[in-house]
């Protein structure tokens, strides 16, 4: 199989049902961001040493492929089998949130993204996930898509936040609390 087809040279590509759409189509933007999130998780995992977290992220990456296929296949197309995102996918994410969150100190302040390299990439992945969520939300206003995709992305961003915190914990990095600055002296920064 060739990597290049030249089919997209004029700014269009095909959905799973064969329909040609512009590469700037809302559906493509949404699943393109999901692909970006998946790649970012691949980068993040290279900085994670904990095998349990790696296993969770690998599962998420596989699930994101299913989610991308769900978005790429219009709901009314049934000529190819597509595994649609459903409650089982969401329940997995919720169980992981509960499992890792109970191992963390109670959150009483907003925290700044950062800490260990792994945690920083998990925070970054969380923000890309939120962007995907916004794009899917916009897509839902214009097309009939599986609504569980939005639910999944919403929960996933929460899990990525919890995993970012957990990575800092196991990497012995303190979380940096956000503090509202009421006044500042420029000399403190020079």
């Amino acid at each position: 199989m060739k990597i290049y087809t030249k089919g997209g040279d004029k700014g269009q590509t095909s959905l799973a049902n064969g329909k040609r759409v512009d590469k700037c189509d809302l559906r493509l933007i949404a699943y393109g961001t999901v692909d970006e999130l998946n790649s970012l998780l691949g980068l993040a995992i290279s900085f994670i040493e904990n095998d349990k977290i790696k296993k969770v992220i690998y599962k998420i990456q596989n699930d994101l492929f299913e989610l991308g296929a769900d978005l790429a296949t219009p709901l009314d197309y049934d000529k190819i089998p597509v595994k649609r995102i459903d409650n089982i996918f969401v329940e997995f994410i919720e169980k992981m949130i509960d499992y890792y969150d109970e191992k963390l100190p109670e959150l009483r302040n907003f925290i700044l993204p950062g800490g260990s390299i792994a945690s920083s990439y998990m925070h970054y992945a969380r923000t890309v996930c939120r962007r995907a969520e916004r794009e899917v939300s916009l897509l839902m206003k214009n097309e009939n898509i599986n609504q569980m995709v939005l639910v999944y992305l919403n929960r996933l961003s929460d899990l990525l936040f919890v995993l970012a915190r957990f990575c800092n914990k196991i990497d012995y990095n303190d979380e940096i609390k956000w503090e509202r600055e009421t006044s500042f002296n420029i000399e403190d920064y020079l």
Side-chain angles (χ1 to χ4, degrees):
M1 176 163 94
K2 280 191 167 191
I3 296 297
Y4 62 92
T5 64
K6 300 182 182 180
D9 289 353
K10 294 184 180 173
Q12 288 197 324
T13 192
S14 296
L15 298 178
N17 64 358
K19 179 182 175 189
R20 300 290 291 172
V21 296
D22 291 333
K23 289 190 176 190
C24 60
D25 184 271
L26 289 176
R27 187 179 291 268
L28 269 73
I29 290 170
Y31 71 70
T33 301
V34 169
D35 187 34
E36 179 184 351
L37 170 60
N38 206 338
S39 295
L40 185 53
L41 288 172
L43 177 61
I45 207 168
S46 67
F47 293 99
I48 295 171
E49 295 179 15
N50 183 290
D51 288 335
K52 282 187 172 183
I53 295 175
K54 283 183 176 184
K55 189 174 181 180
V56 169
I57 294 173
Y58 285 136
K59 167 131 176 56
I60 291 166
Q61 287 187 291
N62 279 287
D63 290 350
L64 287 174
F65 264 88
E66 300 286 3
L67 190 147
D70 192 336
L71 285 173
T73 309
L75 285 178
D76 61 357
Y77 188 70
D78 60 0
K79 293 196 175 23
I80 57 171
V82 174
K83 189 172 188 177
R84 300 288 180 184
I85 300 300
D86 59 20
N87 278 329
I88 294 170
F89 289 87
V90 174
E91 287 169 5
F92 170 77
I93 297 294
E94 289 173 345
K95 286 185 189 318
M96 293 301 99
I97 291 170
D98 294 342
Y99 177 80
Y100 285 101
D101 192 46
E102 74 179 24
K103 299 177 179 327
L104 295 168
E106 182 181 349
L107 191 60
R108 296 176 183 223
N109 301 83
F110 287 113
I111 58 171
L112 299 178
S116 70
I117 294 173
S119 175
S120 298
Y121 276 117
M122 295 307 285
H123 276 295
Y124 187 15
R126 172 186 55 81
T127 64
V128 172
C129 187
R130 286 289 188 203
R131 178 164 30 97
E133 184 182 1
R134 291 188 302 272
E135 291 168 356
V136 166
S137 177
L138 180 60
L139 177 60
M140 285 176 65
K141 289 184 179 294
N142 293 279
E143 293 190 46
N144 186 23
I145 65 165
N146 177 3
Q147 296 187 2
M148 290 305 294
V149 167
L150 188 64
V151 175
Y152 179 87
L153 290 171
N154 182 269
R155 294 300 185 291
L156 179 57
S157 63
D158 293 336
L159 175 57
L160 296 174
F161 177 76
V162 169
L163 290 178
R165 292 188 68 213
F166 190 77
C167 285
N168 267 336
K169 179 182 177 181
I170 63 176
D171 291 339
Y172 305 104
N173 279 290
D174 292 331
E175 294 177 321
I176 303 168
K177 295 175 185 169
W178 173 69
E179 296 179 19
R180 185 180 306 271
E181 220 171 325
T182 55
S183 65
F184 70 96
N185 181 349
I186 194 72
E187 297 299 320
D188 292 340
Y189 297 91
L190 300 177

